[in-house]
Amino acid sequence: MAADRVTTDFSAAEGSPMITVAVVDDHPIARHGIAHILGALPDSSVTTTASVGSLPELEEALAAGAAPDVIVLDLYLDGGTPALDAVAALSVATRVLVMSASGLPADVLGAIKAGACGYVTKHCSAELFVAAVETVAAGGFSLSAELADILQAELTRREPGPGADVVVGPRLSPREEETLSYVARGFTHAQIATRLGVRKTTVDTYVERIRAKLQVGNKAELTRAAIARLSSDRGSAPT
């Protein structure tokens, strides 16, 4: 079937800017289902132009000139080990959205630290999945709601306690570190301002300083940097 072939034509339909997606999943039914979802919603700007069952097949498509805006990657390909190396390698070239049945904190944190711009479970709705693809394609960061709760709980558990050593990386002020911890948990600038008791413009300033110090650009990069600092073994609270 067409959806099962490696396709290297990533051109958008005339007059309609499309988000092109490559789907990598070792289960044919899952691939067909994802491809169907991406093309089934009305007014969707997402199209599946490659649907493959393995990383070598994807590499073949990329080598042939395919250039997807987003790669939807099943975290567990061909076995019981998360494909974190693949996430890291692919995220250098394009944006990666991990889709997995696993909601384990270690998998979520590992994928994000490896470079994923989002993580959704296979239990999410079609609408939320397409929205995640669109968010990642636009340079944003997306997590399923239940994963955001898991991530917040995990980062809170790992957050350095009073007197802990500074986490590895550029030195941030206490206010900047606090702001970054809220960013990692998915709070908006307005929500962070309320929790810190400052104006939103002040939070905007903190975030711009953090971006400059950590040398990150978009929201996805900032979120990954925040998670990497808070989940670092050095300076973490005892488990």
Side-chain angles (χ1 to χ4, degrees):
M1 299 181 70
D4 225 9
R5 294 199 301 267
V6 176
T7 306
T8 59
D9 179 9
F10 281 81
S11 58
E14 183 177 355
S16 177
M18 300 296 290
I19 298 169
T20 54
V21 179
V23 179
V24 186
D25 194 303
D26 57 347
H27 292 89
I29 292 178
R31 292 200 302 275
H32 289 307
I34 293 170
H36 175 74
I37 288 171
L38 291 175
L41 292 183
D43 301 322
S44 173
S45 61
V46 183
T47 181
T48 302
T49 46
S51 180
V52 301
S54 68
L55 292 171
E57 288 179 277
L58 177 64
E59 291 168 0
E60 178 184 339
L62 297 177
D69 297 311
V70 179
I71 294 175
V72 175
L73 176 68
D74 181 14
L75 188 62
Y76 283 86
L77 289 169
D78 302 321
T81 302
L84 298 180
D85 289 343
V87 173
L90 293 171
S91 64
V92 173
T94 190
R95 299 180 177 94
V96 177
L97 172 64
V98 169
M99 188 173 195
S100 177
S102 170
L104 294 174
D107 286 342
V108 179
L109 286 169
I112 295 170
K113 290 173 69 176
C117 292
Y119 193 120
V120 294
T121 70
K122 293 183 177 180
H123 305 292
C124 74
S125 68
E127 291 79 9
L128 288 177
F129 173 56
V130 173
V133 170
E134 292 173 337
T135 296
V136 169
F141 183 85
S142 182
L143 279 179
S144 296
E146 70 273 20
L147 295 181
D149 292 338
I150 291 171
L151 184 61
Q152 179 172 345
E154 182 69 4
L155 292 177
T156 300
R157 184 180 70 82
R158 296 180 177 218
E159 187 172 322
D165 294 335
V166 177
V167 178
V168 174
R171 182 180 294 276
L172 302 179
S173 72
R175 272 300 203 190
E176 290 166 353
E177 288 283 6
E178 191 174 4
T179 298
L180 193 61
S181 72
Y182 284 121
V183 169
R185 296 170 193 156
F187 288 100
T188 66
H189 289 198
Q191 291 169 332
I192 295 172
T194 299
R195 283 159 177 77
L196 295 182
V198 299
R199 297 187 179 188
K200 178 181 174 295
T201 53
T202 301
V203 174
D204 294 341
T205 299
Y206 289 156
V207 171
E208 287 307 310
R209 290 176 183 169
I210 293 167
R211 281 179 169 162
K213 290 181 179 180
L214 300 185
Q215 298 183 334
V216 297
N218 59 33
K219 177 66 180 296
E221 292 174 344
L222 179 63
T223 303
R224 284 200 299 271
I227 290 171
R229 288 175 72 88
L230 286 182
S231 61
S232 172
D233 288 338
R234 179 185 290 184
S236 295
T239 58

